[in-house]
Amino acid sequence: MHLRSTLRVVAAVALNDFASATIVSRTLNIVNANLAPDGVNRSTTVVDGQFPGPLITANVGDQFMLNVVDKLTNPNMFRSTSIHWHGLFQAHTPEMDGVAFVGQCPIVPDQSFLYNFQAPGQSGTYWYHSHLANQYCDGLRGPLVIYDPEDPLKYLYDIDDATTIITIADWYHELSTQLFPNPGKNPPNPDSTLINGLGRWANATGPPTPLAVVRAQPGKRHRFRIISTSCFPPFLFSIDQHNLTVIETDGVETQPYTIDTIQIEAAQRYSVIVTADKPVANYWIRAIPVNGDGNPTTVGGVNSAILRYDGAPAADPNSTAVANPVQLNEADVIPLINPGAPGLPFPGGADVNLVLTIGKDAVSGNFTINNVSFISPAIPVLLQILSGAVSAGSILPNTSVYSLPPNKTIEVSFPGAFPHPMHLHGHNFDIVRVAGSSTYNYVNPIRRDVLSVGGPTDNVTFRFVTNNPGPWFLHCHIDWHLTAGLALVFAEDAPDIPIVDPPNTQWEELCPLYAQLDPDGGLLTR
């Protein structure tokens, strides 16, 4: 749901919700495990020994108490960790956002940290992942769903539970620390695609490995929650002979919009309604890497899963894709609740207007924003602010920290570039000019928290209101690009952060422990 309210209103909602909130309590053990989800065994970094990580569910207004325990032991991989709860705004709890060296110091082995937060007013489809180096590419990623018992679109579907969640992941046979950094800082191509943790490697020589099976109950309407946990490629998602009615983008309810295929960028989420009204059989679910990233085929069941109707045999499908498919166009997606962008209805009609030009340094291979590559500070940005560094220019790295005033409309534009999937923490935003369009829409633009910057002729533009004090990361969700510097920090209403977010004792202990016990000094990140 969209959070557009003053700080005072958000605080009131949070306090009211806390009084009646159900506590969602989980212990997440971060471990190294040998797994072979596509038939090739490798060491991974995962939650509770499984990939993807366990599903975390809650209802609107619930209190999350998620205890992350670092049990990592493999010296060839990062052994410290931090967890980000992707898409949750962390109103009044930026210390729980989980970004290493922005919102916290990492958790070191044999230590734990309790992520204790609420998500007032938010429901929908989210996920969680490591936010340290490229650790989530080694497996530390999983789904998170907040259900709304009063969902205004509930009349459109019959089934919405753990069986209707579809995660998509790129998968690598080598460790992230072996793959990156490399000469030129180029992202490695994945070896396979996993759907709900299973997939097939195109170069395998043995018997076909199992694929994920998604149940379809004949005659029922299923709300499939599609989550891209990708480190690199976008995927073209479809289900053979079935159309998809979109009702959610990144936690935002939308007016129902029916199409056949969706290009889902890294970290984006969609809810789609799929009616099981076809003959009882097996149908391919396809998630094909696009833009030349990975293996763009579904021959032999690669990049695929199976939609299996009750009563169908346990066999691979022989279905075919929809002919002449209609692909989702972001310009046609309309928020259901409170549509409309803040500010005045013309380019530059915001209180603060930022143009962010993405580049790449030819010598180092690092990515830049306005000619500056993000380098993580030794002291987390939030700790600097809580220690008194609140004035513009005083927060390090000062060339990558943009101070934003409170309760103002911010417009951010990205002149044409590679289609980087950019994600803003602490907010969602209205995309007033989407990729592939030269038209500005201030009346009812798509609202989400990850956008594609588009191609060379684009000028993708979004707006949001600074109603959530905190240091919020804006970065490319191609994780390899982030590690190569494609990021900055919005220090939003920095003077008020110590007031609305007093320090947490356990959080304060993270940095001394990391300084004393950092296990990753020998691993390169740049």
Side-chain angles (χ1 to χ4, degrees):
M1 298 178 71
H2 184 52
L3 183 68
R4 182 181 294 161
S5 56
T6 65
L7 178 61
R8 184 173 300 171
V9 172
V10 172
V13 170
L15 289 172
N16 183 64
D17 285 350
F18 182 78
S20 60
T22 297
I23 295 176
V24 177
S25 179
R26 295 286 296 268
T27 295
L28 305 177
N29 294 295
I30 313 303
V31 299
N32 296 122
N34 289 319
L35 300 176
D38 65 351
V40 178
N41 192 66
R42 59 154 292 179
S43 180
T44 65
T45 299
V46 291
V47 180
D48 295 343
Q50 68 181 70
F51 182 84
L55 169 65
I56 298 172
T57 63
N59 286 324
V60 174
D62 284 354
Q63 181 83 13
F64 291 91
M65 300 188 73
L66 306 172
N67 190 39
V68 173
V69 183
D70 188 335
K71 296 183 177 181
L72 297 171
T73 58
N74 189 333
N76 297 314
M77 307 170 76
F78 281 90
R79 284 176 286 167
S80 59
T81 194
S82 67
I83 309 296
H84 171 57
W85 318 97
H86 184 111
L88 302 185
F89 300 148
Q90 299 294 350
H92 297 276
T93 52
E95 78 277 15
M96 300 297 164
D97 195 43
V99 182
F101 305 109
V102 175
Q104 69 171 87
C105 281
I107 308 162
V108 296
D110 300 319
Q111 299 293 325
S112 65
F113 181 70
L114 179 66
Y115 289 92
N116 183 354
F117 60 89
Q118 282 187 286
Q122 289 191 265
S123 64
T125 309
Y126 304 93
W127 62 300
Y128 62 92
H129 60 85
S130 170
H131 223 304
L132 173 75
N134 298 120
Q135 192 175 58
Y136 93 71
C137 305
D138 289 316
L140 211 175
R141 31 185 164 165
L144 188 157
V145 175
I146 302 178
Y147 293 99
D148 181 1
E150 299 179 3
D151 178 8
L153 295 169
K154 199 169 186 176
Y155 70 96
L156 290 173
Y157 55 89
D158 305 304
I159 304 170
D160 177 26
D161 56 25
T163 68
T164 60
I165 294 170
I166 299 175
T167 63
I168 308 171
D170 51 347
W171 193 249
Y172 303 82
H173 292 163
E174 295 181 80
L175 308 181
S176 67
T177 49
Q178 296 170 327
L179 293 169
F180 203 88
N182 56 52
K185 306 289 176 65
N186 296 311
N189 279 334
D191 293 292
S192 61
T193 297
L194 306 183
I195 299 178
N196 287 352
L198 294 171
R200 290 177 182 166
W201 181 36
N203 296 328
T205 57
T209 52
L211 295 176
V213 175
V214 177
R215 181 187 181 191
Q217 298 184 42
K220 298 294 186 179
R221 302 166 301 170
H222 305 71
R223 177 176 180 164
F224 289 128
R225 296 175 182 265
I226 308 163
I227 305 170
S228 172
T229 69
S230 178
C231 282
F232 181 16
F235 294 95
L236 193 63
F237 179 90
S238 65
I239 301 177
D240 283 5
Q241 303 307 310
H242 293 75
N243 56 32
L244 316 171
T245 299
V246 176
I247 62 166
E248 178 210 351
T249 55
D250 298 356
V252 179
E253 300 95 338
T254 70
Q255 294 184 15
Y257 169 45
T258 301
I259 40 81
D260 300 306
T261 65
I262 298 172
Q263 180 168 313
I264 184 168
E265 306 290 336
Q268 289 183 336
R269 293 89 63 209
Y270 289 91
S271 280
V272 300
I273 307 301
V274 174
T275 302
D277 57 0
K278 300 296 184 286
V280 170
N282 294 296
Y283 298 87
W284 287 119
I285 299 172
R286 305 175 192 262
I288 303 173
V290 297
N291 296 336
D293 307 324
N295 180 2
T297 181
T298 53
V299 174
V302 300
N303 302 318
S304 300
I306 299 169
L307 181 73
R308 177 164 294 153
Y309 277 58
D310 288 354
D316 279 3
N318 57 13
S319 60
T320 57
V322 173
N324 303 312
V326 176
Q327 186 169 325
L328 179 139
N329 181 352
E330 284 193 320
D332 296 329
V333 179
I334 300 173
L336 181 70
I337 299 171
N338 190 26
L344 299 174
F346 53 82
D351 299 305
V352 177
N353 298 282
L354 299 172
V355 176
L356 303 180
T357 302
I358 296 173
K360 190 173 186 184
D361 184 84
V363 176
S364 68
N366 289 330
F367 283 93
T368 60
I369 297 178
N370 291 350
N371 298 313
V372 176
S373 182
F374 182 83
I375 299 175
S376 296
I379 301 173
V381 174
L382 180 57
L383 179 56
Q384 295 178 55
I385 292 170
L386 294 176
S387 301
V390 297
S391 60
S394 65
I395 308 169
L396 300 177
N398 56 19
T399 52
S400 291
V401 176
Y402 289 61
S403 293
L404 298 180
N407 300 312
K408 300 296 182 182
T409 297
I410 312 300
E411 179 177 291
V412 178
S413 298
F414 293 100
F418 178 89
H420 299 280
M422 301 298 292
H423 170 52
L424 175 62
H425 292 221
H427 293 273
N428 52 31
F429 42 70
D430 295 292
I431 311 175
V432 297
R433 179 172 167 176
V434 300
S437 175
S438 60
T439 301
Y440 289 84
N441 175 10
Y442 303 97
V443 176
N444 54 11
I446 186 172
R447 184 177 295 145
R448 61 185 327 155
D449 61 48
V450 180
L451 59 74
S452 170
V453 170
T457 62
D458 280 308
N459 187 34
V460 171
T461 303
F462 70 84
R463 288 184 180 178
F464 68 101
V465 175
T466 50
N467 53 20
N468 188 18
W472 303 121
F473 218 19
L474 173 67
H475 65 90
C476 180
H477 228 292
I478 295 175
D479 209 45
W480 316 103
H481 289 181
L482 168 57
T483 307
L486 188 37
L488 56 77
V489 176
F490 286 141
E492 180 177 331
D493 189 13
D496 279 336
I497 293 174
I499 299 170
V500 302
D501 180 44
N504 170 287
T505 300
Q506 190 189 26
W507 179 85
E508 288 181 323
E509 294 172 350
L510 289 172
C511 287
L513 284 169
Y514 183 77
Q516 178 186 358
L517 301 172
D518 173 16
D520 302 323
L523 298 175
L524 296 176
T525 60
R526 293 296 295 272

